[in-house]
Amino acid sequence: MTAGFQLGVIGSLTLSVASSVAIVICNKALISTLGFPFATTLTSWHLMVTFCTLYVAQHMRFFEPKAIDGQTVVLFGLLNGTSIGLLNLSLGFNSIGFYQMTKLAIIPFTVLLETIFLKKRFSETIKFSLLVLLLGVGIASVTDLKLNLLGSTLSALAIATTCVGQILTNTIQRKLKVSSTQLLYQSAPYQAAILFATGPIVDQFLTGRSVFAHKYTLPVLGFIILSCLIAVSVNFSTFLVIGTTSPVTYQVLGHLKTCLVLSFGYTLLHDPFTMRNVMGILVAIFGMALYSYFSVREGKKKSAGDALPVSQVPDKDTEPLVATKDTSDAKKANGVSHDC
């Protein structure tokens, strides 16, 4: 692994954390303070602004677009758009505690899928560090666990589509040799389209209010524009992190964001605060530290020639592995970015 590649990975991780925390703060103000609860519709706006930004960027020669098989990119875009809608529905039909458990389940399910279908092997030390991480986040953020059939079904579908979408994000970039920017540029219109079509219906079903009848004051419009601009960075860094690392690393990073947002809420917004939350965050951070340490150590052992450091050692291909908000309102904000 070259020094330049290491800096690139660190940069993508930093950008992802910073932009995700920023959009949580912005969306929490938009949803909780200004009373704009239309999360799915807002996400469609995020994706369309992202596409328009990339369209301008490629015309200014910041990157070269690369053709991708039409069927592949359409199915990929629709799958990712569907996963966002399902996560929002899962939040709407489940308790906060069960929704958080849904997010926690994404890591072990991703590991299972990559083990079965991609033949990747995860060491015992990596599995242990992930277990510590999930335990810590669970202690910090999971409270009530109320179950219902519809909510559980939506959560299962959300987990499946999210895991498959993130694995495909990584696989398409590696196999087709396209950059994160090129893939996002090609797929964003399809993700936006499905959310444009379903967002107002989903939001009205969840909130009992119409996005078209909402009163758009100047502060609301200002925060919507700010949220869309930040989302460009969120969406770009999501594809960048998954492409340069792995779906599992992206989920680990997502739980780091969860801890940061919880800490932010406790210290600056004076959200409810208990020793259980503190202990959970500390355990989660310890799990992340273990994951990072074991990933780098195993990467060094594995590296040979241009092989990339990984914590999961696939049979053929290797990929780098370096080691979402969650107060109840912040979870809704997290549901509207590709950060779940």
Side-chain angles (χ1 to χ4, degrees):
M1 175 175 59
T2 66
F5 180 81
Q6 285 181 311
L7 289 175
V9 172
I10 293 172
S12 66
L13 297 175
T14 303
L15 177 64
S16 180
V17 171
S19 58
S20 294
V21 172
I23 204 168
V24 168
I25 297 169
C26 178
N27 288 344
K28 183 170 183 179
L30 182 60
I31 291 172
S32 304
T33 305
L34 298 176
F36 185 85
F38 310 108
T40 311
T41 302
L42 181 61
T43 306
S44 69
W45 299 344
H46 286 172
L47 288 162
M48 187 49 64
V49 170
T50 298
F51 170 73
C52 292
T53 303
L54 292 176
Y55 181 80
V56 172
Q58 69 96 8
H59 273 280
M60 296 177 67
R61 298 291 188 267
F62 283 106
F63 72 96
E64 288 295 326
K66 184 174 182 179
I68 303 175
D69 174 65
Q71 185 177 7
T72 298
V73 76
V74 169
L75 291 175
F76 172 75
L78 294 179
L79 177 66
N80 276 281
T82 301
S83 74
I84 296 171
L86 286 170
L87 281 167
N88 284 335
L89 285 170
S90 174
L91 177 58
F93 283 92
N94 289 302
S95 65
I96 295 298
F98 193 81
Y99 172 74
Q100 188 63 21
M101 286 299 296
T102 298
K103 291 173 63 180
L104 291 176
I106 291 174
I107 282 184
F109 195 74
T110 300
V111 170
L112 178 64
L113 288 180
E114 291 195 307
T115 300
I116 294 174
F117 296 105
L118 300 183
K119 308 303 180 185
K120 292 186 177 180
R121 298 192 302 273
F122 293 80
S123 69
E124 295 304 318
T125 52
I126 290 295
K127 291 178 183 176
F128 174 73
S129 64
L130 291 174
L131 179 62
V132 173
L133 164 65
L134 295 176
L135 177 64
V137 176
I139 293 172
S141 59
V142 176
T143 52
D144 55 319
L145 284 174
K146 298 176 183 177
L147 303 178
N148 67 80
L149 180 59
L150 178 58
S152 300
T153 302
L154 289 170
S155 291
L157 291 172
I159 291 169
T161 54
T162 300
C163 291
V164 173
Q166 291 179 359
I167 291 172
L168 283 177
T169 300
N170 178 269
T171 303
I172 290 173
Q173 289 185 60
R174 287 191 298 108
K175 298 296 185 182
L176 301 183
K177 292 182 170 49
V178 296
S179 69
S180 56
T181 309
Q182 291 167 332
L183 180 58
L184 181 58
Y185 176 67
Q186 295 282 352
S187 63
Y190 300 102
Q191 296 182 59
I194 190 171
L195 293 175
F196 263 128
T198 61
I201 300 172
V202 170
D203 288 334
Q204 183 157 12
F205 192 61
L206 294 176
T207 66
R209 297 162 57 185
S210 171
V211 66
F212 303 110
H214 188 78
K215 184 178 180 180
Y216 290 87
T217 62
L218 195 59
V220 170
L221 290 174
F223 271 90
I224 288 174
I225 293 172
L226 179 60
S227 179
C228 288
L229 293 176
I230 299 173
V232 175
S233 177
V234 172
N235 289 321
F236 173 73
S237 63
T238 294
F239 279 61
L240 187 61
V241 168
I242 296 176
T244 55
T245 60
S246 75
V248 172
T249 294
Y250 176 72
Q251 286 300 321
V252 170
L253 189 68
H255 291 305
L256 170 60
K257 300 170 194 174
T258 297
C259 293
L260 289 175
V261 172
L262 285 172
S263 302
F264 175 83
Y266 298 146
T267 55
L268 298 182
L269 302 181
H270 307 295
D271 288 334
F273 179 84
T274 65
M275 283 304 299
R276 170 181 167 172
N277 300 129
V278 177
M279 287 297 299
I281 289 174
L282 292 176
V283 171
I285 291 174
F286 178 64
M288 292 175 208
L290 287 177
Y291 179 79
S292 300
Y293 172 74
F294 291 133
S295 295
V296 172
R297 189 182 70 174
E298 293 181 16
K300 289 180 178 178
K301 290 181 180 179
K302 178 67 181 176
S303 60
D306 62 350
L308 303 180
V310 292
S311 60
Q312 33 211 123
V313 184
D315 289 338
K316 296 180 181 178
D317 299 301
T318 57
E319 55 195 72
L321 204 55
V322 186
T324 99
K325 348 176 234 96
D326 285 320
T327 60
S328 60
D329 290 327
K331 286 190 182 69
K332 293 182 180 178
N334 197 33
V336 300
S337 62
H338 222 87
D339 177 39
C340 303

